[in-house]
Amino acid sequence: MFLPARETQNTRQKFEDRISAEGRFASYARGRLTYFLGRQVLTIIGAAILGVLVSPKLGFVALLVALAGEAVDCLTLRAFVRRGNYGPRARAASVGTAAIQAISISICVWLGWGATAGPEARFFAVVYMCGAVINAGLVYPFHRRATEARLVIYIIAIASLFALDGFAGRGSHGQLVFDFLATLMLGYMVYTFIRFVLRSHTKRIAMERDLIHRQDMLDQSFQTLEARTREAHHLAMVAANANDSVIVTDREGRIEYTNASFTRVSGYTAEEALGKLPAELLNSPNTDTEAIAAIFKARDIHEPVRMELINRTKDGNDIWVETNITPMVDDDGIVQGEVAIERDITQAKQREKELADAKTAAEEGARAKAQFLAMVSHEIRTPLNGIIGMSDVLLSGALQRDQRETVQTILSSGEALLTIINDILDLSKLEAGKMEIETIPFDLRAQLQGALALIHPLAEEKGLSLSLTFEDLPADQFMGDPGRVRQVFLNLVGNAIKFTKSGGVSARVSAVPGPQGDEIRIAVKDTGIGIPEDRLAHIFAAFAQADGATTRHFGGTGLGLAISRQLARQMGGDIDVASIPGEGSCFTLRFLTRAVDAAPKTSTCKATGGIAEIPPDIRILVADDNRTNRLLLGKLLDRVKPGLIFAVDGIEAVDKFRTEAPDLILMDMSMPRCDGIEATRLIREIEALGTAPPVPILALTANAFASDRDRCLEAGMDGFLTKPIRRRDLFAAIADFAPAHLQAPAASDTLKTVAL
Ligand code: ADP
């Protein structure tokens, strides 16, 4: 039978109260009152005996004295009990009343002893005193000081009687000695008795304390047990009602418990599963053996394990489960079994696969789109090459005014088309994450000035001022992608000119040093139409324009800023815009770079100034499968016509290299049978055998990617010309790379890019 905790606490409290000084005094006081009558029986018998032995009068007096002592003591104690006053003062007072009571008994003994000289009175007195001492001794554990006061008085009383007898010479000497010794013996017995009383009391208290302590422990164990039972009950409820399968295995790894969810998911009832190994029940031929090995390994090292694996259900279907296996290790570190919680994730897996498939399909689509756009752009660039190139050729000849205007229109339409194609190609590359950003040293000032020179005529045409200022730049050379910086800058300045009717456009370049290098800021400010605030966030989206109607008037595709912003971000920066409608806009391009002292390794040069002179007797091999291109190059290089040799594919190019020994080769990259890269390799191999002197080879390609340029360089080409080819650039490149003996300046040994 377990006591509730509170009851045990009460018991302990009561016990502590009882053995405290107050508690013991209370017991003493109540005991004295309870046994009052019992004690008076002794008093009356004593008084009666005295009455018989001496005189009834003396007996009566003794009775009165004894009763008076008792009355003082008991009435005082009763007052304390009634008031519940057991404090130190009450205890001290009770010592006094105990002494009075002892003195009253001692007076009675004196009366009896003194009134008679016979041994019978002494015997009676000693016996009476013994009774009183025993009586006092019985309450010793409860009120020591009262008992001690009584004992001292009794001892003094007895001793004084013997002394009196001795002095008075009452009775024989032998008799006196005999009585004294007998009294001492009696006294010793009484002492032993009191000690016994005291010890038994102490033992009883210790036993009681021990009992209470045990009760306490029992109580705690019971409470722990009760809590555990409750917890076990809850756990059992959780396990039974969990949505996940719960499997508990024993030390041998055999199933000893499964919940309802396990049955629902696996199809096996608990009875079917009990005693089986989970593997023999649930593994499928498709279950990953490495996953199973990992589970066993985790078990060996007492580690929990979580993984996804395939289980087979009772009806033979494979399902994906996410399993969490935790070993149950006892205090001695021995695995007593395992708890596995399994969740059916088949649907999630299916969705995951669908998502992955969809992602692959989307990526495939994006790749296909990028490839398609690259192909379309390439294919469009080739005829455009013809249109722009031929227009260029026509314009270099003598034309009538209206003819010149017509050709000029064809040329600018071709160039506009080329810009659109370039933009679409850029966007598709950016979206497919295929945009390559170079990091090469370049002259920022020269780049921007060159770009501005190109666009200057547009501003002039509209009567706008155009300025470019540089604030303190840490250097001239910076690491980065000059082509892309130029492209974004041209887009911003181009837009600014396009959307400004009067006033002007100013560009300001500054550098802000930061932890990752310098941040270049190019702020392009105009006094144009501005952009409404609610459109500011949208103008960077592809094909977005601030106001369809207004901008339609200005033309454009809405791609420029989308491309520019993505390029800026790829260069570690961004484009910010601030604009006030009617007052103008300020677009700021930011990008991260690093100032360098060294001169650039490769240069992106733009033919500026007049048309370069090319050696008149130079022999140029043109390898291009496209007839229009061959025709165009024939016309562009009209002035060296006798020295022009044509090849329609790579194999013919190699043959003509062998037989004709040209001074320079213009090599198309994509040709049937053998492309330009392969043909260049073969030519370089032939040269390496020492059978022919090295010849400069310039790539001619519609693919304007850095990777193409790297491939050209790697194959052994010297330069790179992108289609559509402009007369000015073609001549500059030929003049640059023509062999020294043909008068042209020495060619650099590094790859040169002539970009449009
Ligand atoms: P596009 O100029 O070909 O339309 P962009 O992406 O370069 O495409 O610009 C998107 C739109 O942002 C423009 O159509 C125009 O509405 C607005 N915009 C860009 N630059 C300016 C500018 N400097 N002033 C006013 N509006 C501008």
Side-chain angles (χ1 to χ4, degrees):
M1 169 74 189
F2 298 106
L3 289 174
R6 194 182 302 162
E7 222 162 291
T8 311
Q9 222 168 24
N10 284 345
T11 314
R12 195 184 319 117
Q13 192 54 52
K14 274 187 195 157
F15 170 74
E16 295 297 342
D17 289 348
R18 198 150 46 80
I19 63 168
S20 68
E22 275 90 0
R24 277 181 286 129
F25 175 57
S27 303
Y28 163 80
R30 284 196 292 263
R32 293 284 303 172
L33 294 176
T34 309
Y35 298 108
F36 172 78
L37 285 178
R39 282 199 308 282
Q40 299 331 304
V41 171
L42 200 71
T43 310
I44 291 166
I45 293 172
I49 292 172
L50 208 59
V52 173
L53 280 179
V54 185
S55 71
K57 202 171 142 194
L58 191 72
F60 184 65
V61 172
L63 181 65
L64 280 182
V65 171
L67 280 177
E70 276 285 356
V72 170
D73 190 35
C74 286
L75 285 173
T76 311
L77 291 177
R78 198 175 70 162
F80 292 147
V81 170
R82 281 203 175 152
R83 272 184 271 138
N85 177 8
Y86 304 115
R89 282 177 163 219
R91 294 206 293 276
S94 72
V95 174
T97 58
I100 291 170
Q101 189 261 331
I103 290 168
S104 73
I105 296 292
S106 300
I107 290 171
C108 294
V109 171
W110 268 69
L111 288 176
W113 187 297
T116 56
E120 64 285 349
R122 197 183 291 157
F123 173 72
F124 163 74
V126 168
V127 170
Y128 191 78
M129 199 55 116
C130 258
V133 168
I134 288 170
N135 208 315
L138 281 174
V139 294
Y140 191 38
F142 302 99
H143 198 344
R144 289 188 178 210
R145 279 166 57 208
T147 302
E148 279 159 8
R150 282 194 175 97
L151 290 179
V152 167
I153 290 166
Y154 291 151
I155 288 166
I156 292 172
I158 287 286
S160 64
L161 284 174
F162 272 106
L164 202 72
D165 272 11
F167 285 122
R170 295 204 319 180
S172 71
H173 181 70
Q175 184 71 46
L176 195 68
V177 170
F178 175 78
D179 284 351
F180 182 68
L181 289 177
T183 305
L184 274 185
M185 273 176 67
L186 215 57
Y188 179 71
M189 280 166 65
V190 170
Y191 162 74
T192 315
F193 170 73
I194 291 173
R195 238 179 58 176
F196 172 74
V197 167
L198 206 62
R199 278 200 186 153
S200 340
H201 180 78
T202 313
K203 264 194 199 159
R204 194 163 60 84
I205 294 292
M207 272 168 65
E208 263 187 67
R209 178 167 278 140
D210 188 50
L211 205 69
I212 287 174
H213 178 64
R214 277 163 199 265
Q215 182 67 47
D216 243 9
M217 282 177 34
L218 208 64
D219 224 29
Q220 271 174 20
S221 309
F222 172 68
Q223 278 168 23
T224 313
L225 193 73
E226 210 176 35
R228 291 221 173 128
T229 311
R230 240 189 339 260
E231 191 182 313
H233 175 71
H234 286 147
L235 285 178
M237 295 267 288
V238 170
N241 297 304
N243 257 338
D244 295 341
S245 302
V246 178
I247 305 162
V248 180
T249 56
D250 62 13
R251 290 172 72 161
E252 273 82 47
R254 296 190 176 278
I255 298 173
E256 58 179 15
Y257 171 83
T258 59
N259 66 350
S261 216
F262 171 82
T263 305
R264 186 166 43 76
V265 173
S266 71
Y268 293 105
T269 62
E271 290 71 33
E272 287 169 325
L274 288 192
K276 301 256 172 40
L277 296 169
E280 75 181 88
L281 205 64
L282 302 171
N283 278 7
S284 141
N286 300 322
T287 307
D288 184 3
T289 46
E290 274 181 30
I292 298 169
I295 291 176
F296 282 123
K297 188 171 169 226
R299 186 177 184 194
D300 286 347
I301 56 171
H302 304 182
E303 286 279 328
V305 63
R306 184 207 149 277
M307 60 178 54
E308 295 175 354
L309 76 172
I310 293 176
N311 270 3
R312 176 151 289 189
T313 62
K314 189 179 173 186
D315 49 19
N317 288 329
D318 277 356
I319 55 166
W320 271 98
V321 294
E322 182 197 278
T323 180
N324 272 291
I325 304 173
T326 312
M328 298 183 290
V329 183
D330 67 11
D331 293 345
D332 301 327
I334 296 167
V335 176
Q336 294 297 340
E338 287 176 324
V339 183
I341 297 174
E342 293 194 339
R343 176 166 297 181
D344 183 355
I345 53 164
T346 312
Q347 280 186 0
K349 275 276 171 190
Q350 217 156 353
R351 270 198 300 277
E352 205 177 278
K353 189 175 172 298
E354 281 165 12
L355 269 177
D357 289 349
K359 187 166 173 268
T360 313
E363 281 168 357
E364 277 297 320
R367 221 181 351 261
K369 184 176 139 199
Q371 266 172 8
F372 171 75
L373 285 170
M375 190 266 287
V376 166
S377 119
H378 181 269
E379 291 309 311
I380 295 175
R381 267 164 185 270
T382 309
L384 261 184
N385 191 27
I387 296 169
I388 293 173
M390 288 303 188
S391 310
D392 214 14
V393 170
L394 277 178
L395 283 174
S396 69
L399 292 174
Q400 286 173 6
R401 209 177 113 89
D402 60 334
Q403 283 175 327
R404 181 167 292 278
E405 267 175 18
T406 310
V407 177
Q408 190 67 55
T409 310
I410 295 173
L411 182 63
S412 53
S413 303
E415 278 171 342
L417 194 55
L418 185 68
T419 308
I420 295 173
I421 287 162
N422 282 344
D423 279 357
I424 292 178
L425 190 64
D426 273 355
L427 192 74
S428 76
K429 275 194 284 178
L430 281 165
E431 280 177 354
K434 294 266 164 59
M435 180 60 89
E436 298 161 36
I437 298 287
E438 278 191 320
T439 311
I440 55 169
F442 72 101
D443 186 330
L444 178 66
R445 205 181 285 261
Q447 269 302 325
L448 300 184
Q449 279 167 345
L452 209 72
L454 202 72
I455 210 162
H456 204 263
L458 281 181
E460 257 177 8
E461 222 172 76
K462 292 182 81 174
L464 302 174
S465 66
L466 183 61
S467 67
L468 173 63
T469 49
F470 292 88
E471 284 175 12
D472 287 342
L473 291 183
D476 285 337
Q477 302 286 334
F478 291 93
M479 293 302 288
D481 191 328
R484 295 304 175 186
V485 171
R486 182 186 158 103
Q487 179 182 348
V488 178
F489 178 65
L490 272 177
N491 179 243
L492 298 183
V493 178
N495 275 349
I497 295 173
K498 187 162 72 172
F499 294 106
T500 304
K501 281 191 195 123
S502 61
V505 176
S506 62
R508 182 174 291 273
V509 186
S510 57
V512 182
Q516 294 164 300
D518 293 307
E519 187 182 78
I520 299 289
R521 293 185 182 171
I522 306 174
V524 178
K525 207 169 168 194
D526 63 53
T527 53
I529 59 169
I531 304 159
E533 202 179 337
D534 60 330
R535 298 300 304 160
L536 279 181
H538 302 281
I539 56 171
F540 292 98
F543 303 107
Q545 295 180 322
D547 168 4
T550 322
T551 42
R552 207 169 300 129
H553 164 74
F554 294 97
T557 55
L559 283 177
L561 284 181
I563 294 168
S564 294
R565 168 164 267 184
Q566 290 196 50
L567 286 174
R569 286 183 175 167
Q570 286 214 7
M571 294 191 287
D574 207 339
I575 295 179
D576 310 315
V577 58
S579 186
I580 303 175
E583 287 189 22
S585 314
C586 181
F587 285 81
T588 307
L589 160 69
R590 297 184 282 111
F591 62 93
L592 282 180
T593 179
R594 192 163 43 83
V596 279
D597 299 328
K601 271 193 180 168
T602 59
S603 66
T604 303
C605 49
K606 173 78 192 145
T608 50
I611 304 279
E613 277 302 316
I614 56 172
D617 45 357
I618 189 166
R619 289 166 49 74
I620 300 175
L621 169 59
V622 176
D624 200 315
D625 61 323
N626 187 288
R627 205 183 70 84
T628 313
N629 283 345
R630 289 199 304 274
L631 196 66
L632 172 65
L633 282 161
K635 290 209 177 286
L636 286 172
L637 297 170
D638 200 22
R639 69 177 71 167
V640 291
K641 202 153 200 178
L644 280 185
I645 309 146
F646 288 97
V648 296
D649 59 37
I651 300 217
E652 201 181 326
V654 178
D655 284 347
K656 294 260 167 86
F657 161 72
R658 271 211 202 92
T659 54
E660 304 286 340
D663 298 315
L664 189 139
I665 302 176
L666 296 175
M667 182 81 81
D668 184 25
M669 273 180 77
S670 44
M671 289 184 290
R673 293 216 293 166
C674 167
D675 66 14
I677 300 278
E678 193 49 40
T680 304
R681 275 207 194 98
L682 290 171
I683 290 170
R684 295 297 182 222
E685 275 171 24
I686 295 165
E687 288 172 350
L689 296 173
T691 49
V695 62
I697 304 177
L698 305 182
L700 278 182
T701 178
N703 301 330
F705 307 146
S707 57
D708 294 321
R709 208 174 48 183
D710 291 346
R711 281 173 62 219
C712 293
L713 188 64
E714 193 213 328
M717 293 192 193
D718 303 277
F720 192 89
L721 275 163
T722 40
K723 291 176 185 172
I725 297 156
R726 304 296 301 269
R727 207 167 128 85
R728 180 189 300 262
D729 303 321
L730 177 66
F731 275 47
I734 294 174
D736 220 9
F737 285 94
H741 68 271
L742 293 174
Q743 84 149 51
S748 155
D749 58 355
T750 53
L751 179 75
K752 297 193 179 176
T753 301
V754 182
L756 286 172

